[in-house]
């Protein structure tokens, strides 16, 4: 009986692995009849946890550097809202990656990809036009709130994000001149988002 149960578990894991590989392949493959017909099912499986930032045979690397910062707010004892300083969440991720022989996929991509998905779905007005856009907004908010809560500090009820985007220096630029002009930076400050009292 134990062997039968073990065999069933192994079979289920193999079936789920195969289904996952098929879904990821359909997501990254060039447009075809199958991915066109089953697009909603593929997207439901892929987003937001398994999203890829490339297409098979056509890589699309980032051409900008983004710095994502967050600050929190909470009501003080007198009822006045106290706003904390900006915290560079991107720098926290970079410090977790540098000099690490096996950096975490989460540290490399979670915050960056959640912001990219948010920007793609919300344009410049921060209005969620669909259920998926609402989900991605909550996803980004929860990631930022978890990061800020992990850094310690005061409990908070609201969180705000700021994203500074700078173009990557052109190829062939001398290594000493790879800095971009601060005037080329684009700063976007998102509205305040409510979170629970423990910052989640």
């Amino acid at each position: 009986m134990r062997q039968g149960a073990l065999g069933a578990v192994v079979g289920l894991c193999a079936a789920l692995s195969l289904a996952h590989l098929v879904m990821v392949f359909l997501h990254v493959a060039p447009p075809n009849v199958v991915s066109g017909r089953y697009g909603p099912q593929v997207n439901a499986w892929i987003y937001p946890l398994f999203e890829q930032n490339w297409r098979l045979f056509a890589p699309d690397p980032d051409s900008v550097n983004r710095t994502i910062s967050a600050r929190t707010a909470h009501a003080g004892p007198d009822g006045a809202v106290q706003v904390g300083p900006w915290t560079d969440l991107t720098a926290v991720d970079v410090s977790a990656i540098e000099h690490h022989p096996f950096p975490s996929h989460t540290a490399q991509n979670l915050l960056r990809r959640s912001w990219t998905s948010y920007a793609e779905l919300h344009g410049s007005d921060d209005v969620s036009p669909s259920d998926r856009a609402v989900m991605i907004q909550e996803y980004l908010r929860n990631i930022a709130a978890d990061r800020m809560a992990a850094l310690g500090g005061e409990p908070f009820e609201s969180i705000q994000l700021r994203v500074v985007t700078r173009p990557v220096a052109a190829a062939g630029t001398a290594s000493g001149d790879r800095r971009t002009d601060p005037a080329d930076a684009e700063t976007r400050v998102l509205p305040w988002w409510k979170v629970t009292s423990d910052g989640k």
Side-chain angles (χ1 to χ4, degrees):
M1 187 171 183
R2 177 180 285 179
Q3 287 183 342
L6 181 60
V9 170
V10 170
L12 179 62
C13 289
L16 283 174
S17 298
L18 180 61
H20 177 70
L21 288 174
V22 169
M23 292 294 193
V24 171
F25 176 80
L26 290 175
H27 177 67
V28 300
N32 59 72
V33 175
V34 178
S35 62
R37 181 173 180 181
Y38 297 101
Q41 291 86 349
V42 171
N43 288 338
W45 181 271
I46 293 295
Y47 294 109
L49 298 178
F50 304 115
E51 183 176 2
Q52 305 293 314
N53 188 27
W54 55 277
R55 293 291 181 265
L56 199 60
F57 310 122
D60 184 21
D62 284 338
S63 58
V64 295
N65 289 320
R66 290 187 182 89
T67 302
I68 303 174
S69 304
R71 65 179 176 177
T72 59
H74 67 280
D78 59 354
V81 176
Q82 299 177 358
V83 177
W86 289 105
T87 299
D88 188 345
L89 300 180
T90 301
V92 174
D93 283 355
V94 169
S95 68
I97 295 169
E98 287 183 341
H99 311 299
H100 194 298
F102 304 104
S104 163
H105 177 77
T106 301
Q108 295 179 71
N109 297 311
L110 188 66
L111 182 63
R112 178 178 60 85
R113 289 299 298 137
S114 63
W115 164 253
T116 302
S117 296
Y118 177 89
E120 288 172 356
L121 291 171
H122 290 81
S124 60
D125 58 6
D126 298 306
V127 175
S128 300
S130 66
D131 290 341
R132 181 163 180 264
V134 171
M135 178 189 70
I136 292 296
Q137 178 182 319
E138 292 174 354
Y139 182 58
L140 176 61
R141 181 199 65 200
N142 291 342
I143 290 170
D146 286 346
R147 298 282 176 92
M148 292 298 285
L151 293 173
E154 297 281 343
F156 53 92
E157 295 88 39
S158 301
I159 191 165
Q160 185 178 41
L161 296 183
R162 178 183 67 190
V163 182
V164 179
T165 304
R166 295 178 180 85
V168 173
T173 304
S175 59
D177 297 326
R178 294 186 80 80
R179 293 172 297 176
T180 55
D181 188 335
D184 294 335
E186 176 186 324
T187 301
R188 179 170 172 181
V189 180
L190 275 62
W192 284 98
W193 290 332
K194 292 287 186 184
V195 295
T196 58
S197 58
D198 61 354
K200 302 256 174 138

